[in-house]
Amino acid sequence: MDYRIEHDSMGDVRVEADKLWGAQTQRSFQNFKIGTETMPAEIVRAFGILKKAAAMANRTLQPERMTEEKCRYLCAACDEVIDGTLADQFPLVVWQTGSGTQSNMNANEVIANRANALAGKRLLHPNDDVNMSQSSNDTFPTAMHVAAVCAVTEHLLPAIDELIETMRRLERDNAGVVKSGRTHLQDATPIAFSQEISGWRGMLETARDMICDTLPHLQKLALGGTAVGTGLNCPAGFGEQAAAFISTLTGIDFESEANKFHALTAKDAMAFAHGALKALAANLLKIANDVRFLASGPRCGLGELFIPENEPGSSIMPGKVNPTQCEALTMVAVQVIGNDAAVGMAASQGNFQLNVFMPVIAYNFLQSVRLLADGIRSFNRNCAVGIRANKEKMAQNLHNSLMLVTALNPYIGYENAAKTAKKAYKENISLKEACVALGFLSPERFDEVFHPEKMIGGIDHD
């Protein structure tokens, strides 16, 4: 193995010759052998974006220091970070310094060394040039916000929209199908299947709105606060210029956080946004459970839905098929709900001028977004699009439900209706037989007033 010697303020360090990183990255790589969780690719990409934007802002505000030549090669190297070409040059784990300093320096060193290679000379210094007008304390929270917003808008929201559209189609396809409702895991009054689906759709739409409501807070950036929020060694207007360039590079409107002291020490925006992700996870857990319970059987369960049969369900029971997509989505939901506890606790650890739990916040937040987006797409494409109503079973369950007796309340009263239901259940006879036997209605009058299909309120939501 060939090595080269890299130098930082603590002295010389040996680095593998084919690596672009420098001394500070190498020290972190050696000192934090903790777990297998490396810094998320979304954070690495966001660092490429913010370092390019910072170079462009410095070129505008202090061209004597950020020359045209330096800016050109620096931006070229950043482009390779952004497009993933240099992904293998970012080896650091999440479990490092809580400010993310070593990941900031990883970006600075890789970009400087790659830019120098492109220039064919030693043109850029990691700290003096790539990190110009910045501190790890304002770059990492900026990268975290940029990565979070991009992940949500580019991946999660489109995935939610796909599932919402599937629900809309299912509503249309099942218009007029009436089934038994259920509350407390017990039989309840009838509901249109399309109404039940509209509830699922509404849960997705509301969670989506909640997530979107959090984005303006994440679109405020800490860049320009430098070490403690004062903006030391940063030219006036840098934060605003850098945010404008980040907006151009991402196509998303970002702005400089007005109160940099808040931006550095508080991670409330991440906690708030992840709370909305948790709300989505809770809704997905409910929807997936509904689908798998309604599809349970095929003979000994509810059996009201047919769902796609994707894989054999047992290594010992031939012919068994399980609701695997539902199970995967519920596990994703549980993980996201657990992540929320970590994000919330970490967000509370802002001591004095800095929060030092940022890598774990970023890791959990981005994992949640990734899992939700992938899980929703998988559930939609491998399960939801293939959901079909078992109309025969729905009708059978509907007409066997004792809670249809509720339709008789206006004619025989609540207490007599209760007596009717209890007699029917105890003697295993129909509601009509029980009602007539008790002398509450004649057979003809019962048929006149008892119409389960009309008990859904006349509303078939679209």
Side-chain angles (χ1 to χ4, degrees), residues 20 77 107-117 123-127 130:
L20 288 174
N108 291 334
E109 291 172 345
V110 168
I111 292 168
N113 284 333
R114 179 56 181 154
N116 290 339
L123 178 67
L124 293 160
H125 186 277
N127 298 80
V130 185

Side-chain angles (χ1 to χ4, degrees), residues 4 30 69 193 212 270 315-316 339 355 365 393-395:
R4 71 177 190 277
Q30 293 171 182
E69 183 184 28
F193 185 36
C212 289
M270 294 294 286
S315 60
I316 190 172
N339 285 353
N355 178 290
F365 188 100
K393 184 67 171 179
M394 285 182 176

